[in-house]
Amino acid sequence: MSIIGEPMHPGVAPWASWLKRMALSPRSLLVREVILEGELRDGSPARLVYLGEGESLGYLKQFFSRIEGLRDDGRYPIWGLRRRAALWRVGGNLVIAEVNRLFAFLRPRDSLVSYPWVRQKVELGEGAYRCRKKRLDSNARRRIRRYGYRHELAGVEALGRFYHELYAPYIRYRYGELTHLRSYRELERALRSGFLLKVLEGEEWVAGEVYRKRGDALIFLATGCTTPYERRLRHGALAAAKYFSARWARDHGIAVIDLLRSRPHAQDGLFRHKLNLGAQASVDPWVHTALWLLLPDNRTVPPLFERLLVAENGRLSEVGGMRAEAHPVDSTSAEAVREAAASASDRPS
């Protein structure tokens, strides 16, 4: 749980982010060492060595379809991380270290930098969104006509039902043990400047989303729908919510819709969904840890990890490199971008 609540004001966020890293730094002083062996979701065998505070260990386990061996070798002082990582990468092991970003000076020189989360924003006036807008609107309108969807804007009076009947059950269904719900009070505060968008099928409330408005930006905070979930998704209830919110944003002079965080992997469903909405990815300063990837000594990496996004030279690109689709990084996140590799031979091909 974060000690410091995430601020939305752009002038406050960098300072709050630094304070958060300071407050959480004690948990990184001892590095946990976990060895995972098994079969990845793409069917390839892999041995992954994780060194870190444990924040993203559950996420990395999801890369495996079957874990045949899991060994927790205890904890070691962070000052020995470089030595431990160098020892493990010998012999074809992929090493991922997760460390508080305050300790960036300890990063092995030839490591690649990724993050547990990246941020995705839709710039309504930019080409990435405009080239998709016609197709997105056409698909959404077709479902809206077919199922008779309409929308209403609501406030705090409807939040209780949304939170307990649409939002919390749906998020638990989608993310299982990795679920991390926003608090009721956070959404309640957001509605002071924003709104709860209700999607109705006839008179039945079937989906909804909570947005906060700040200046010319609309910040997405929560989504949910009623059961049966698969049918709601197939019938486009949540796609209708995105259509109605984007139309509201354009009508009210909104320049940016902030869709918040996704996992930095090109095959992640949520990341791809937001990308298809025209969102551009950027490094998120609020995330307090970084992931350092040390490729095996033979420079090969399991195919599934080739689709992981790493930050380099102002871009988020896939580890696979030659087949990568580059994703623009917000220039305000330059401090988080990976330093250039020591030499061209150190970069994955």
Side-chain angles (χ1 to χ4, degrees):
M1 180 181 297
S2 296
I3 297 174
I4 304 171
E6 180 180 2
M8 292 297 176
H9 194 286
V12 176
W15 294 100
S17 177
W18 182 82
L19 288 173
K20 178 188 177 185
R21 297 176 201 179
M22 287 289 294
L24 296 178
S25 60
R27 67 166 69 172
S28 288
L29 295 179
L30 289 178
V31 174
R32 184 178 175 188
E33 185 172 281
V34 180
I35 298 90
L36 297 163
E37 292 185 90
E39 185 178 281
L40 298 177
R41 294 199 311 265
D42 61 6
S44 60
R47 188 183 197 192
L48 169 66
V49 179
Y50 172 86
L51 306 169
E53 63 181 57
E55 184 85 4
S56 297
L57 185 57
Y59 163 59
L60 294 173
K61 286 180 180 178
Q62 290 192 320
F63 281 71
F64 290 82
S65 60
R66 185 174 70 254
I67 296 178
E68 299 168 349
L70 190 155
R71 190 171 83 242
D72 195 326
D73 279 0
R75 297 177 181 269
Y76 303 89
I78 191 174
W79 318 114
L81 184 143
R82 283 182 177 173
R83 183 178 60 84
R84 301 293 302 180
L87 289 172
W88 275 115
R89 74 182 302 185
V90 175
N93 298 310
L94 174 64
V95 180
I96 296 184
E98 181 180 30
V99 179
N100 189 309
R101 287 157 71 174
L102 284 179
F103 299 109
F105 61 91
L106 294 174
R107 178 169 68 86
R109 188 176 180 185
D110 58 347
S111 60
L112 303 173
V113 175
S114 184
Y115 297 92
W117 301 92
V118 292
R119 199 152 189 150
Q120 289 180 276
K121 299 179 182 180
V122 179
E123 304 275 351
L124 295 178
E126 297 296 323
Y129 170 73
R130 293 169 64 182
C131 72
R132 290 174 169 85
K133 178 181 177 300
K134 184 176 180 179
R135 177 180 54 82
L136 289 169
D137 288 357
S138 176
N139 291 339
R141 284 195 295 262
R142 184 172 65 252
R143 292 179 174 181
I144 288 169
R145 289 192 299 268
R146 181 173 182 179
Y147 300 108
Y149 293 139
R150 59 188 180 88
H151 77 286
E152 295 177 356
L153 299 187
V156 70
E157 74 283 352
L159 182 60
R161 182 181 172 191
F162 169 78
Y163 193 93
H164 296 292
E165 297 182 21
L166 282 78
Y167 169 60
Y170 172 71
I171 296 301
R172 291 191 181 105
Y173 160 77
R174 285 293 303 272
Y175 299 107
E177 63 180 17
L178 296 180
T179 296
H180 180 72
L181 294 172
R182 294 186 182 276
S183 70
Y184 181 92
R185 293 188 63 184
E186 181 181 3
L187 300 185
E188 186 179 40
R189 289 194 299 269
L191 291 180
R192 296 172 187 171
S193 62
F195 56 83
L196 167 57
L197 187 145
K198 300 168 61 176
V199 176
L200 303 154
E201 185 177 354
E203 296 302 317
E204 182 184 3
W205 184 4
V206 297
E209 294 186 336
V210 172
Y211 288 88
R212 178 178 182 177
K213 184 178 180 295
R214 177 172 290 280
D216 64 351
L218 199 61
I219 303 166
F220 165 79
L221 292 178
T223 188
C225 64
T226 57
T227 56
Y229 298 126
E230 291 301 325
R231 191 179 78 187
R232 297 299 182 209
L233 295 172
R234 189 170 62 250
H235 290 184
L238 293 179
K242 286 290 189 292
Y243 169 81
F244 290 132
S245 62
R247 191 175 70 179
W248 186 94
R250 295 193 299 265
D251 292 344
H252 289 80
I254 297 296
V256 177
I257 300 179
D258 187 346
L259 298 179
L260 297 185
R261 299 179 182 91
S262 306
R263 294 297 189 180
H265 194 280
Q267 289 182 328
D268 179 80
L270 184 59
F271 178 86
R272 296 300 304 182
H273 171 67
K274 293 179 181 180
L275 192 68
N276 289 334
L277 293 175
Q280 299 185 63
S282 63
V283 176
D284 190 342
W286 184 247
V287 178
H288 80 282
T289 61
L291 300 177
W292 303 339
L293 281 72
L294 284 87
L295 302 185
D297 53 358
N298 58 9
R299 310 305 297 171
T300 61
V301 63
L304 189 62
F305 282 92
E306 289 186 352
R307 307 305 304 275
L308 192 68
L309 302 182
V310 293
E312 181 178 13
N313 298 331
R315 308 284 285 180
L316 284 173
S317 301
E318 297 173 24
V319 172
M322 300 301 291
R323 295 177 297 126
E325 175 187 356
H327 307 279
V329 174
D330 190 334
S331 60
T332 61
S333 302
E335 59 89 23
V337 176
R338 187 177 82 85
E339 298 172 0
S343 68
S345 61
D346 282 335
R347 297 177 183 172
S349 59

